[in-house]
Amino acid sequence: MQSSPIKIHEEFNLTSLGIPADVYKQQNLSLESDRFITIKESTPDGKTFFNIVDVSQGFKLQKKPLKADAILMHPSKPIISMRTGGDQSSSGVQIVDLSKKEVLRELTIPEQIQYWTWVNETIIGMVGTKTIYHIDVTTKPYSAGASTIFRKSEDIERVAAQILSYAVDSSGKWCVLFGIYSVSKALHGMIQLYSVEQQASQTLEGFVPHFADVALVDPGYVNTVLAFVGKKPSESTWNFLILEVGKPIDQAQKIKKKQLFQTAPDANVSDIPILSYVSEKYCLAFIISRSSYLYVHEMFTGSMIHRGRMSSDMIVSCCKHSGTDGMMCVNRKGAVIYVSIDESTIVNYIQTKCPHIPDAAGVAFKIAQAGSLPGAEQLFSSLFNKYFSEQDYTNAAKTAAKAPGGMLRTAETIAKFKNAPKVPGNKSQPLLQYFSYFLESNVKLNAIETMELVRPILAQGRKDLVETWVKGDKIECTSELGELVRPHDRALAAIIFKNAGSTEMTVQLMVEAGQFDQIRSYCTATGYQPNYLKILKGVLDSGLSDRAVELGKMLCSRGPDGQSSPAVPLNTVFDLFIQYNRVTELTSIMLDALKSNRPEDGPAQTKLLELCISRDPNLATSILQSRNFSYFDKPKIARACEQMGLLGYALENYTELADIRRVIVNTHMLNKDQLISFLCSLEAEKAKICLADMIRASPHNVTIPAEAAVKMTESGSIQPEEIVKIFESLGSIDGVFYYLRNIVSNTDDPEIVFKYIEATTKLGHLNDLEAIIRTNQVYDPEKVKDFLMEIKLPNPKALIFLCDANGYIEEMTKYLYKNNFINYVGTYLTNVNPQAAPKVMAALIDMECEESTIRNYLANIRMCPLDQLVEAFESRNRLRMLQGWLEARASEGNQSTELHTALAKIYVDTNKDADNFLVNNAFYDPKVVGKYCEEREPLKAYLAYKKGGPSCDMELIEVTNKNMLYKLQASYLVERKDPELWKVVLDEENPHRKRLIEQIVQTALPDTNNADEVAVTVKAFADAGLHHELIEILDKIVLHRTDFAKCNNLKTMLILTAIKSEPSRVMDYVNRLEDYNAPKLAQKAIEHGLYEEAFAMYVKVGNNDEAVNILLTHLKDLARAQTFAEKIGQPALWSRLGQALSLIHICRCRRIERCRSRWSPYH
């Protein structure tokens, strides 16, 4: 096939954007439409970028470092979908509207996604490992899950097909999935066609399926078909198939076409189709193979009209090219290739170069009809005449509409329909059928057709139909149509003139209709320059004030951006309206025209302000207050304002200081806020001069100067100390007060705060003085205290608050006492700070205040720091003065240590049942009281220390030693039962030990009835090595006291001590005592060589075996042993005696033998 009607050219190369040449692969590149191309790029350092190329913006590149595995751009909107792999069982999807920066959807798909694509404007189709899902971006909430559509067929899952495409037809009722798989190194295709309504699938063997809506049977009926290339693995031939999946025009005419798909002779035998697109406009199917061969089939018979290689490199992706209804493709080298048909040659090409197509002329006609293509003019004329002669006026109208170049839409054709006879049984006139087809089929009527249709419609009074057609762009607008409609509807006529490009008539009708807001933009767009001044005069002459204002605003407008020049000079408009004495209207126009506040509008601003000041001062005030004008003649306007009494605006616009000073003193005629604002706008030095002028002019009304001073301070133009200096220099203490009252809470300058305190004091504003003293932390308290004490306020409350807050309690008390404010002392203690009582009382005592007064103050205090209070009285030898107060608190249940300690001291000094208090009170501090009593009453010190127990051990020992109270010490030690304390007092270095031991031996222990006390004492003596003293103690306790006569431990201890220190007394104790630990003591006696005493112990307890053993082993008295055995008469003793005799015999024999051996003859 030569002179192919298919045009192929390279439009652009993506590598020119800096995108590497090795990334253009199917898994990296996405092409959802001819607007965006996306390419995934991985850099050597492990980073991932996505290149988004906006084709509609001249291949503009955006490089985004997104954390995603893949992205997908919306076919027509700046909406990006990002997909992450997640784990092997899920995929994450986020869809974002880039223009609104809004997340539309965010969800997780419970499978790995193998393929995804936009199936229409709102839905993304996603192919998982087993399931196909749809995500609707319009679904709310944004986190809603995906919809499950259908499962993959078992055949596709079985062969593990690699998915290459997924699509949904325009009705949403059919879905098709396509993938390829390999068998014995040969690639095969498999298609799954799914019916949403029937929820059933069909598996087809083939490649590149594509849905299309094309009119294949009747030009007025669209067929929904599936086009694909079919080939079974067992066959060698390929076929191009077209199957109707939608509702056919007639069930008997359901489309099912099959034509041989002939691969290119030079193509590799393993080449397979991988991409396809169906042009619905031209009814052509484009198929691209893996080796970049392009095959084009017409859809009417399915025949091929073109084949050839379109690129030396593999095409990796393609989509519809909206401008030509061809294809936009990208190959592996980054080339963007456009494929389209040559509209001027394709019809003739099919007629003359495609003899293999059945009825090639008919196919050519259908393609020309579908795409309104040239080259079939004669065919259209013949067909039109055929239908017309058959009185098939509807099809004749369709043919005329489809004929290329409007060749049949002429006055002759309309005349033909107008004169055609009416078809019997059809009520509609042939001409009406002609127009009805065009209107119903959305085919716009041309000028001739429009005039023929509109004339009778307007005659019937149906201008609403004409308006509908104009707005729906169903008829062609011309000047003739405008003139025709104008008598019936001026506004509609204006629209028609505008659409027809009749500028003069359009502007004229806009003026008549009052559509002034549209005139300027329309004239700018069309380049038309009307005589605006003439038009404006005409409106003014007509007396239409509202329209004059609208037109004047339009003429003086600078456009939406404020940068255009007015259509008529502002001065010209100004003078014209003054000439007509339309001041109100002029003001409205000028305010609108001057709102952009441009330097060149200064003269116009001045003229308008002068006019308003003289004619409408309120309006002038409003304009000046708005601050919208900046470039008028300020001195000129200031003088005009001053003459009209607008002094505030006169001030604002005067620039000379003399003028300002003349006006500013008239504070009674000035708006306070305006005056203050003006002062704040002045330079500092000028502001200070004006401030002084105002104070001089109104010395008794300083509130406004004070408020102005506050604002100037807040703005930072003048420092507070400068303001204060101005007020003070003019003797205005009131001014200082009112000024500082507003800033004192925000300053950190102690001197400023002091100035405020000074002013409040001098003016007698004691409430304000108290408030600042209480709340402010900046002032110097020492300085303020001295000032307040020196000035001697009639009410010292402020001074009291200051002294209380800063710890000047003693000074405050003395001041109040000296200045006859003694009643405030009680009030202070009761209502302000009872905790300060110690310092107050100390000061009062120092001032020799009467005791009755002090007691009265105390009576009203219940809680205060007791330790400080006691110290205050005690240090001044007035502790007894507190007795009543302390007893009252104690009776209330107060268990404070300080309180009871103080009472203890008082009772000791007064000897008021002190011993009983010291013994029984559990709340005083024994150590403190003991120390207090040591020099006064040592015995009471002893009682206090004894009450303190372990914590006062050493103090008690010391005081008893110091005062030779050994008997008390001995008694305490015995009662304490503390081994560690015993170690201390029984230490050899203790000079008091001997006298202490005497008291222990003579009185303390003999007087105790507590066995534990005796045991601990005995053990302490034993540990200290005081054996002789211990024997004396034990002898008295054990042998002379019946209450300890049965204490076995003491008996044992007595004998054991005697064994160690006085052996001569052991036998006496053994014989006199009973129930001691004889076995243990006998063993100790043996260790110390006291065998007789040990023998006596064993005999006493009946341990005869051990007694015989002592006689035989230690005393070696066999005869005595024999006598003892005879006395006891126990067989065991005789046995033990026999063993001893045998042993003695053996020993004797051995000695004899040794003696014999010594006298041997050999020696």
Side-chain angles (χ1 to χ4, degrees):
M1 298 179 188
Q2 298 178 353
S3 303
S4 172
I6 305 302
K7 298 189 293 186
I8 302 170
H9 76 281
E10 181 177 326
E11 178 72 14
F12 190 77
N13 199 299
L14 298 172
T15 57
S16 65
L17 299 175
I19 304 174
D22 59 349
V23 298
Y24 304 102
K25 302 174 183 178
Q26 187 180 27
Q27 62 268 30
N28 292 338
L29 191 140
S30 169
L31 195 61
E32 294 298 299
S33 70
D34 61 352
R35 178 171 178 182
F36 295 107
I37 305 172
T38 63
I39 308 104
K40 181 179 180 181
E41 176 188 346
S42 298
T43 59
D45 58 359
K47 295 181 180 179
T48 300
F49 294 91
F50 286 91
N51 298 281
I52 303 175
V53 181
D54 191 337
V55 179
S56 66
Q57 298 293 322
F59 293 91
K60 182 180 179 181
L61 172 64
Q62 278 188 297
K63 189 181 288 282
K64 293 183 175 290
L66 303 174
K67 293 182 179 179
D69 295 330
I71 68 169
L72 205 65
M73 292 301 296
H74 188 278
S76 61
K77 301 175 182 177
I79 295 175
I80 186 172
S81 306
M82 295 170 283
R83 192 182 82 217
T84 55
D87 53 30
Q88 293 300 314
S89 62
S90 66
S91 297
V93 177
Q94 186 182 61
I95 305 172
V96 179
D97 188 329
L98 297 177
S99 62
K100 299 179 180 178
K101 296 182 180 179
E102 175 187 1
V103 177
L104 301 179
R105 296 297 303 279
E106 188 168 10
L107 66 161
T108 299
I109 305 298
E111 296 183 33
Q112 282 290 103
I113 300 304
Q114 299 176 338
Y115 180 84
W116 65 336
T117 184
W118 285 91
V119 297
N120 57 37
E121 287 288 311
T122 62
I123 294 175
I124 297 178
M126 311 191 78
V127 182
T129 53
K130 295 181 179 295
T131 310
I132 286 76
Y133 302 91
H134 282 182
I135 301 175
D136 190 336
V137 296
T138 62
T139 301
K140 303 294 183 182
Y142 84 98
S143 58
S147 301
T148 300
I149 305 304
F150 63 96
R151 285 182 60 88
K152 283 183 180 178
S153 68
E154 294 180 358
D155 294 330
I156 287 184
E157 286 197 43
R158 173 177 49 79
V159 300
Q162 176 189 348
I163 304 302
L164 294 186
S165 72
Y166 170 71
V168 179
D169 79 320
S170 60
S171 69
K173 297 178 180 179
W174 292 90
C175 308
V176 66
L177 183 66
F178 162 56
I180 60 174
Y181 64 97
S182 174
V183 177
S184 301
K185 298 185 178 180
L187 293 175
H188 303 281
M190 187 171 290
I191 299 170
Q192 180 180 355
L193 180 63
Y194 178 77
S195 171
V196 176
E197 290 181 329
Q198 300 176 15
Q199 297 186 0
S201 290
Q202 178 182 357
T203 301
L204 306 170
E205 298 285 352
F207 298 81
V208 293
H210 199 101
F211 288 116
D213 294 327
V214 287
L216 299 181
V217 176
D218 187 308
Y221 187 85
V222 175
N223 306 96
T224 300
V225 300
L226 176 70
F228 65 98
V229 177
K231 180 182 182 299
K232 295 182 179 180
S234 59
E235 297 177 351
S236 59
T237 58
W238 300 70
N239 296 291
F240 177 67
L241 296 101
I242 305 171
L243 303 178
E244 186 159 17
V245 294
K247 185 178 180 181
I249 190 172
D250 184 345
Q251 193 63 34
Q253 299 184 45
K254 186 171 184 178
I255 298 171
K256 187 174 182 180
K257 300 180 184 297
K258 179 179 179 181
Q259 288 286 353
L260 186 66
F261 182 80
Q262 295 179 316
T263 58
D266 55 341
N268 192 303
V269 292
S270 63
D271 196 17
I272 59 170
I274 58 170
L275 300 168
S276 70
Y277 169 69
V278 175
S279 169
E280 296 179 344
K281 178 180 179 181
Y282 302 115
C283 298
L284 298 175
F286 298 83
I287 299 166
I288 300 174
S289 74
R290 195 177 182 195
S291 299
S292 299
Y293 282 89
L294 172 65
Y295 303 88
V296 183
H297 286 247
E298 50 83 14
M299 297 289 288
F300 297 101
T301 68
S303 300
M304 183 184 295
I305 65 170
H306 170 87
R307 69 181 179 189
R309 195 163 193 181
M310 60 177 290
S311 172
S312 59
D313 297 290
M314 178 181 175
I315 304 297
V316 295
S317 188
C318 74
C319 67
K320 172 184 176 180
H321 183 248
S322 55
T324 62
D325 202 32
M327 288 194 301
M328 184 175 82
C329 311
V330 179
N331 70 12
R332 276 201 170 178
K333 292 295 179 64
V336 180
I337 300 171
Y338 285 176
V339 179
S340 62
I341 68 165
D342 186 343
E343 292 186 343
S344 64
T345 63
I346 188 168
V347 174
N348 184 59
Y349 176 85
I350 293 174
Q351 285 179 316
T352 60
K353 302 294 183 180
C354 299
H356 61 287
I357 300 177
D359 188 16
V363 170
F365 174 76
K366 290 178 180 179
I367 291 175
Q369 187 179 36
S372 298
L373 301 177
E377 290 84 355
Q378 188 59 42
L379 291 175
F380 278 97
S381 295
S382 300
L383 186 61
F384 173 79
N385 292 329
K386 173 179 174 295
Y387 285 136
F388 203 89
S389 63
E390 295 172 352
Q391 294 186 336
D392 186 353
Y393 300 126
T394 299
N395 278 324
K398 290 180 183 178
T399 304
K402 294 289 185 179
M407 55 176 285
L408 296 175
R409 298 173 63 183
T410 62
E412 290 77 9
T413 298
I414 293 174
K416 202 170 184 178
F417 272 94
K418 187 185 294 186
N419 298 323
K422 191 176 181 181
V423 178
N426 192 332
K427 296 181 181 181
S428 299
Q429 294 289 340
L431 183 60
L432 182 58
Q433 293 181 47
Y434 178 85
F435 289 135
S436 296
Y437 171 77
F438 278 79
L439 294 173
E440 292 170 3
S441 302
N442 291 321
V443 179
K444 186 176 181 179
L445 298 179
N446 60 26
I448 298 172
E449 295 163 341
T450 297
M451 293 299 292
E452 288 293 336
L453 173 63
V454 171
R455 281 193 187 97
I457 294 299
L458 290 175
Q460 297 172 16
R462 299 295 306 278
K463 69 172 184 176
D464 55 314
L465 284 177
V466 180
E467 184 175 2
T468 301
W469 294 336
V470 170
K471 291 181 178 179
D473 197 28
K474 292 181 178 293
I475 59 179
E476 185 172 340
C477 293
T478 61
S479 297
E480 293 177 350
L481 180 63
E483 292 292 352
L484 182 64
V485 173
R486 184 177 180 183
H488 302 274
D489 191 327
R490 289 179 177 275
L492 179 58
I495 296 173
I496 294 172
F497 280 123
K498 181 179 179 181
N499 292 343
S502 179
T503 53
E504 184 175 358
M505 289 304 301
T506 300
V507 171
Q508 184 176 340
L509 287 177
M510 284 181 176
V511 172
E512 292 176 5
Q515 297 172 335
F516 301 114
D517 56 330
Q518 302 176 24
I519 294 177
R520 184 87 180 274
S521 58
Y522 173 75
C523 292
T524 301
T526 58
Y528 177 63
Q529 296 181 348
N531 188 338
Y532 287 121
L533 194 58
K534 180 180 178 182
I535 295 172
L536 181 57
K537 284 182 177 180
V539 174
L540 286 170
D541 289 334
S542 66
L544 300 174
S545 298
D546 292 342
R547 291 194 177 183
V549 171
E550 290 183 43
L551 181 58
K553 287 182 177 180
M554 184 275 292
L555 296 178
C556 294
S557 170
R558 295 185 180 275
D561 59 356
Q563 302 301 316
S564 305
S565 298
V568 177
L570 299 184
N571 283 335
T572 302
V573 174
F574 197 100
D575 294 340
L576 181 62
F577 273 82
I578 289 295
Q579 180 182 340
Y580 281 83
N581 197 27
R582 298 292 180 87
V583 175
T584 303
E585 292 83 350
L586 172 62
T587 303
S588 177
I589 294 170
M590 288 295 112
L591 285 176
D592 186 72
L594 299 173
K595 62 186 177 182
S596 56
N597 194 24
R598 299 163 64 94
E600 56 267 32
D601 291 337
Q605 291 178 358
T606 303
K607 288 181 69 173
L608 177 61
L609 284 171
E610 283 185 303
L611 177 66
C612 292
I613 292 170
S614 61
R615 300 285 189 93
D616 190 348
N618 289 332
L619 180 58
T621 299
S622 176
I623 296 172
L624 291 169
Q625 190 174 12
S626 69
R627 308 280 190 251
N628 290 332
F629 290 178
S630 304
Y631 301 103
F632 56 88
D633 186 335
K634 289 181 172 53
K636 190 173 185 180
I637 297 302
R639 285 192 295 273
C641 287
E642 186 177 3
Q643 291 170 3
M644 293 300 296
L646 303 177
L647 299 186
Y649 298 104
L651 272 180
E652 290 181 358
N653 293 287
Y654 273 131
T655 55
E656 296 297 326
L657 182 58
D659 295 325
I660 295 171
R661 294 181 69 180
R662 181 181 68 253
V663 174
I664 204 166
V665 294
N666 298 293
T667 55
H668 59 289
M669 298 177 63
L670 289 165
N671 177 272
K672 182 180 73 173
D673 294 334
Q674 190 176 20
L675 174 57
I676 291 172
S677 175
F678 171 73
L679 280 170
C680 292
S681 68
L682 289 176
E683 297 175 4
E685 292 304 318
K686 289 183 178 180
K688 288 191 284 186
I689 293 171
C690 291
L691 191 64
D693 287 344
M694 292 167 61
I695 297 169
R696 290 191 193 95
S698 303
H700 301 297
N701 184 14
V702 293
T703 55
I704 293 178
E707 287 186 46
V710 170
K711 294 294 183 181
M712 287 187 280
T713 300
E714 290 174 353
S715 67
S717 60
I718 305 178
Q719 296 303 309
E721 54 271 20
E722 296 179 273
I723 301 290
V724 171
K725 187 176 180 180
I726 293 172
F727 280 112
E728 288 183 337
S729 67
L730 297 172
S732 180
I733 302 300
D734 284 333
V736 174
F737 170 74
Y738 287 118
Y739 165 65
L740 292 180
R741 183 170 62 174
N742 289 285
I743 71 160
V744 71
S745 60
N746 299 319
T747 183
D748 55 1
D749 186 345
E751 188 59 31
I752 293 299
V753 181
F754 180 76
K755 287 290 185 181
Y756 176 68
I757 292 172
E758 195 176 42
T760 57
T761 305
K762 291 178 179 178
L763 294 173
H765 298 320
L766 298 185
N767 290 336
D768 293 294
L769 175 62
E770 291 172 17
I772 192 67
I773 292 296
R774 284 187 171 191
T775 60
N776 193 279
Q777 303 295 321
V778 176
Y779 61 83
D780 181 348
E782 185 79 26
K783 183 176 182 180
V784 175
K785 178 202 68 176
D786 294 342
F787 169 72
L788 294 180
M789 286 185 175
E790 180 181 350
I791 205 168
K792 298 188 185 304
L793 293 170
N795 185 327
K797 287 173 65 176
L799 177 63
I800 291 173
F801 292 136
L802 181 143
C803 293
D804 177 68
N806 295 281
Y808 303 136
I809 308 301
E810 293 90 342
E811 289 184 75
M812 174 196 74
T813 305
K814 292 176 181 179
Y815 173 85
L816 296 176
Y817 186 80
K818 286 180 179 179
N819 291 279
N820 296 321
F821 292 124
I822 190 66
N823 292 335
Y824 283 92
V825 175
T827 303
Y828 169 71
L829 290 175
T830 304
N831 300 328
V832 180
N833 188 6
Q835 303 300 312
K839 293 181 179 180
V840 172
M841 296 303 166
L844 290 175
I845 294 171
D846 293 342
M847 296 295 292
E848 298 182 355
C849 179
E850 295 182 3
E851 288 190 11
S852 59
T853 302
I854 295 175
R855 287 195 175 93
N856 288 336
Y857 290 154
L858 281 172
N860 295 319
I861 300 171
R862 301 182 63 82
M863 297 296 295
C864 69
L866 277 168
D867 55 338
Q868 298 177 24
L869 185 66
V870 170
E871 195 278 332
F873 279 84
E874 186 176 4
S875 63
R876 290 164 174 77
N877 295 318
R878 298 293 185 89
L879 187 58
R880 291 181 61 180
M881 195 184 297
L882 270 179
Q883 181 175 345
W885 187 85
L886 293 172
E887 288 175 340
R889 302 290 81 75
S891 66
E892 293 170 354
N894 191 319
Q895 297 178 357
S896 167
T897 299
E898 292 80 3
L899 186 147
H900 290 271
T901 299
L903 280 175
K905 292 178 180 180
I906 293 170
Y907 293 154
V908 168
D909 287 341
T910 61
N911 200 21
K912 182 183 177 183
D913 200 14
D915 291 355
N916 180 54
F917 185 88
L918 295 175
V919 171
N920 296 313
N921 186 281
F923 307 117
Y924 68 88
D925 187 334
K927 190 170 290 190
V928 173
V929 174
K931 188 68 175 176
Y932 183 80
C933 295
E934 281 189 10
E935 299 300 328
R936 293 170 172 81
E937 292 284 347
L939 288 176
K940 290 181 173 56
Y942 165 79
L943 292 176
Y945 288 142
K946 183 178 180 181
K947 186 69 175 180
S951 64
C952 298
D953 281 342
M954 301 315 297
E955 287 81 358
L956 185 143
I957 298 300
E958 184 178 352
V959 75
T960 51
N961 285 340
K962 182 178 179 181
N963 294 280
M964 294 185 291
L965 303 174
Y966 300 115
K967 182 177 180 179
L968 294 177
Q969 183 181 151
S971 175
Y972 176 77
L973 290 168
V974 170
E975 291 177 14
R976 275 281 285 119
K977 297 179 290 185
D978 184 350
E980 297 301 319
L981 187 59
W982 276 113
K983 288 181 182 180
V984 173
V985 299
L986 295 179
D987 186 271
E988 292 181 1
E989 300 297 326
N990 180 10
H992 305 279
R993 184 172 80 155
K994 181 177 179 180
R995 282 173 286 186
L996 175 63
I997 292 173
E998 290 175 359
Q999 292 300 321
I1000 293 170
V1001 174
Q1002 294 175 10
T1003 61
L1005 270 182
D1007 290 345
T1008 183
N1009 295 317
N1010 189 310
D1012 290 339
E1013 292 178 357
V1014 174
V1016 173
T1017 304
V1018 169
K1019 186 177 184 308
F1021 271 73
D1023 293 341
L1026 300 171
H1027 300 297
H1028 295 290
E1029 292 82 355
L1030 183 58
I1031 289 175
E1032 293 298 324
I1033 293 172
L1034 293 173
D1035 189 284
K1036 288 183 179 182
I1037 293 174
V1038 174
L1039 296 176
H1040 299 91
R1041 289 183 58 175
T1042 57
D1043 49 346
F1044 289 108
K1046 295 181 180 181
C1047 185
N1048 298 336
N1049 289 338
L1050 293 178
K1051 297 175 186 178
T1052 301
M1053 178 63 74
L1054 175 59
I1055 297 173
L1056 180 62
T1057 305
I1059 290 172
K1060 293 179 180 179
S1061 59
E1062 293 193 29
S1064 61
R1065 302 176 70 170
V1066 174
M1067 186 60 77
D1068 179 51
Y1069 292 146
V1070 170
N1071 293 328
R1072 294 174 65 182
L1073 299 174
E1074 302 289 342
D1075 298 328
Y1076 47 81
N1077 191 343
K1080 177 182 177 182
L1081 291 173
Q1083 189 64 39
K1084 284 291 182 181
I1086 292 170
E1087 291 175 3
H1088 286 77
L1090 302 178
Y1091 304 126
E1092 288 295 343
E1093 288 81 352
F1095 173 76
M1097 292 180 199
Y1098 283 133
V1099 170
K1100 192 161 190 173
V1101 297
N1103 193 342
N1104 298 320
D1105 287 344
E1106 289 298 332
V1108 168
N1109 186 52
I1110 288 176
L1111 292 174
L1112 293 174
T1113 304
H1114 297 288
L1115 295 176
K1116 303 187 185 306
D1117 191 340
L1118 185 60
R1120 188 176 173 186
Q1122 185 174 354
T1123 302
F1124 181 72
E1126 290 174 353
K1127 179 181 178 181
I1128 299 303
Q1130 290 180 352
L1133 294 180
W1134 286 109
S1135 174
R1136 176 72 180 88
L1137 187 61
Q1139 291 175 359
L1141 289 172
S1142 298
L1143 181 61
I1144 292 171
H1145 177 71
I1146 292 170
C1147 291
R1148 285 177 178 176
C1149 290
R1150 287 179 178 174
R1151 283 198 299 271
I1152 293 170
E1153 287 297 327
R1154 283 199 295 273
C1155 291
R1156 286 177 180 175
S1157 65
R1158 290 193 188 102
W1159 295 99
S1160 171
Y1162 295 101
H1163 288 84

